Amino acid sequence: MRASDVRKQFPILDQEVNGHPLVYLDSAATSQKPVQVIEAIDEYYKGYNSNVHRGVHTLGTRATDKYEGAREKVRRFIHASSKEEIIFTRGTTTAINTVAVSYGRANVNQGDEIVITYMEHHSNIIPWQQLAKEKGAELKFIPLREDGSINMDEAKNTITDKTKIVSTSHVSNVLGVINPIKELAAIAHRHGAVMVVDGAQGAPHMKVDVRDLDCDFYAFSGHKMCAPTGIGVLYGKKEHLEKMEPIEFGGEMIDFVGLYESTWKELPWKFEAGTPIIAGAIGLGAAIDFLTEIGSEAILEHEHKLAAYALEKMSEIENLTIYGPLEAEKRAGVITFNIEDVHPHDVATVLDAEGIAVRAGHHCAQPLMKWLDVSATARASFYIYNTEQDIDRLVEGLVKTKEYFTNVF
């Protein structure tokens, strides 16, 4: 895979920002979209815009075929057993909330435990906080090693026979660390708990085989993997989904409606109330085609190379602290950092003046910021369209940032 060739397929990257060629290093927040995805969405609206599942006319049939075809592409992409296990949602947040509300309320009781980690995104903390409060359950956190990776010995101690749910990110959106999901799932299952995975930073960057991981639920968002915003996926083992109740009710998810009682459609449609995110699903299908052609192994290999190069170059900058493992093979393409005595927002502002887009703030991970003993960090995140030249521009920008604030203060 040549990133320079891939880059040409992303029209938005061919522009100047503040008088400089754009360097986009914020893909962990949202990725850019290749022309194939843009054209697929455009084709839907121009050629066969129609609702799905509800009509027998030609446009409706074509839209339904494309929508359900996207579901099959998702199934193959994450190696699920059946399309019935693939539920379209608005994104990772909605998917995790669906598990917390539907599965959690039915299976978690007073005195039970829910286990997560300090590195979780707020979307994988707050639903469990609310469930624990509602049910009188205990929310527990697996301790982390000094480099931010999960301490597996502590994981074995934290997960007990009282644990009903274990939930963690596949890849930390701050530390970039790749978590041992398969091993955590095995521990959870030995204690009768289910394994929930926030795959927002996993699915876009590496091969995901939900059967090999043996996770019970896996959630991810399309917009972080070259697809549109507003579309996401919840994978769930069929044995769980069949027993779970919908959390939204209305059209499309019903089988029969009477005056006082109703019944639901079979999987997966009982969880997809109302008009679904048709264009988003079609765009997600096109994005999966695009990523599949490149190959998950090639994507992760490319990110490891970029991370190794960035870690080497950034480590040469004095008074710059990098958070997370310093071994590139232990992380995906996310590097979070701080420059001593310079606020991350100031770092991001100076870089933006150089045409370099990075993230600054708490990254929706305030408990992790507290664990790191910082209020905020800056974050550079890479994807398939980034090159070593982008890293060079970042390093040059960081040196300029340091020099600017040294001279000012």
Side-chain angles (χ1 to χ4, degrees):
M1 181 187 93
R2 291 183 57 185
S4 57
D5 292 334
V6 173
R7 185 184 182 92
K8 295 174 184 176
Q9 300 177 69
F10 291 80
I12 197 171
L13 300 177
D14 186 23
Q15 63 172 298
E16 289 192 349
V17 172
N18 297 321
H20 300 275
L22 171 63
V23 174
Y24 186 77
L25 298 175
D26 195 21
S27 294
T30 195
S31 67
Q32 299 302 340
K33 321 305 175 193
V35 69
Q36 297 94 322
V37 171
I38 298 168
E39 288 176 348
I41 299 168
D42 187 58
E43 180 188 11
Y44 165 70
Y45 282 120
K46 285 183 176 178
Y48 58 100
N49 176 45
S50 182
N51 217 322
V52 296
H53 302 144
R54 299 180 182 179
V56 295
H57 57 74
T58 299
L59 297 189
T61 300
R62 187 178 176 192
T64 299
D65 289 345
K66 288 285 188 177
Y67 178 77
E68 291 300 333
R71 197 189 307 274
E72 171 59 21
K73 291 177 183 179
V74 172
R75 184 201 68 77
R76 292 198 303 265
F77 188 70
I78 64 171
H79 300 86
S81 298
S82 166
K83 287 199 299 181
E84 296 172 316
E85 297 178 320
I86 306 300
I87 298 163
F88 285 128
T89 70
R90 289 190 296 110
T92 307
T93 300
T94 304
I96 294 173
N97 273 274
T98 298
V99 179
V101 174
S102 182
Y103 181 88
R105 284 180 176 172
N107 292 278
V108 175
N109 297 299
Q110 186 170 0
D112 289 340
E113 299 170 347
I114 302 166
V115 174
I116 60 176
T117 78
Y118 292 103
M119 74 176 74
E120 302 310 316
H121 188 281
H122 294 165
S123 296
N124 199 33
I125 297 176
I126 300 171
W128 308 121
Q129 287 179 343
Q130 297 305 306
L131 178 62
K133 288 179 181 179
E134 178 184 335
K135 290 293 192 172
E138 181 183 1
L139 186 61
K140 297 170 66 177
F141 295 82
I142 301 173
L144 305 179
R145 296 190 183 96
E146 187 175 350
D147 66 357
S149 61
I150 291 177
N151 186 321
M152 291 303 290
D153 289 333
E154 293 289 354
K156 293 174 184 176
N157 294 329
T158 307
I159 301 168
T160 73
D161 288 343
K162 292 183 178 181
T163 304
K164 292 296 185 290
I165 295 171
V166 178
S167 188
T168 188
S169 55
H170 199 166
V171 175
S172 167
N173 74 310
V174 175
L175 303 170
V177 63
I178 301 172
N179 287 322
I181 299 301
K182 187 173 182 177
E183 291 80 358
L184 286 169
I187 297 170
H189 292 154
R190 282 201 297 271
H191 291 281
V194 297
M195 184 75 214
V196 183
V197 184
D198 171 359
Q201 303 294 339
H205 304 284
M206 64 190 67
K207 179 181 177 181
V208 175
D209 186 332
V210 292
R211 284 182 286 178
D212 180 61
L213 294 173
D214 199 22
C215 56
D216 297 275
F217 300 96
Y218 194 99
F220 60 97
S221 298
H223 74 97
K224 298 181 189 292
M225 51 184 290
C226 299
T229 55
I231 184 70
V233 172
L234 171 63
Y235 157 81
K237 287 182 178 179
K238 188 177 179 181
E239 63 195 75
H240 300 314
L241 295 176
E242 286 182 331
K243 297 174 183 176
M244 289 164 54
E245 286 294 309
I247 65 170
E248 290 187 312
F249 304 92
E252 193 64 26
M253 51 76 66
I254 54 87
D255 178 31
F256 173 80
V257 176
L259 290 177
Y260 301 104
E261 295 290 340
S262 300
T263 58
W264 321 135
K265 277 186 179 177
E266 65 274 16
L267 291 174
W269 302 292
K270 76 173 182 178
F271 290 104
E272 296 178 7
T275 295
I277 311 153
I278 304 167
I282 292 168
L284 176 58
I288 287 174
D289 288 341
F290 177 75
L291 294 175
T292 300
E293 185 175 348
I294 295 172
S296 298
E297 292 83 359
I299 293 171
L300 186 58
E301 180 183 1
H302 175 66
E303 291 189 19
H304 278 160
K305 288 180 179 178
L306 285 181
Y309 186 73
L311 288 167
E312 176 187 355
K313 295 296 183 181
M314 292 172 69
S315 295
E316 296 172 358
I317 302 174
E318 290 186 11
N319 300 321
L320 185 146
T321 300
I322 296 172
Y323 302 100
L326 295 179
E327 301 90 349
E329 65 275 8
K330 292 184 178 180
R331 61 160 75 225
V334 174
I335 296 182
T336 300
F337 60 94
N338 270 330
I339 296 176
E340 186 177 342
D341 296 327
V342 183
H343 194 280
H345 288 159
D346 293 328
V347 173
T349 299
V350 175
L351 290 176
D352 182 60
E354 299 291 320
I356 304 164
V358 300
R359 200 73 162 181
H362 55 63
H363 314 293
C364 296
Q366 287 178 301
L368 180 58
M369 295 296 108
K370 184 176 181 180
W371 185 85
L372 293 171
D373 196 26
V374 296
S375 60
T377 64
R379 182 185 72 189
S381 51
F382 322 123
Y383 205 21
I384 47 180
Y385 35 67
N386 290 119
T387 64
E388 289 187 352
Q389 288 72 33
D390 292 337
I391 307 302
D392 291 337
R393 287 274 308 280
L394 171 65
V395 172
E396 290 170 7
L398 291 172
V399 171
K400 284 185 178 180
T401 302
K402 267 195 67 182
E403 291 174 348
Y404 174 79
F405 283 98
T406 299
N407 293 333
V408 168
F409 298 104

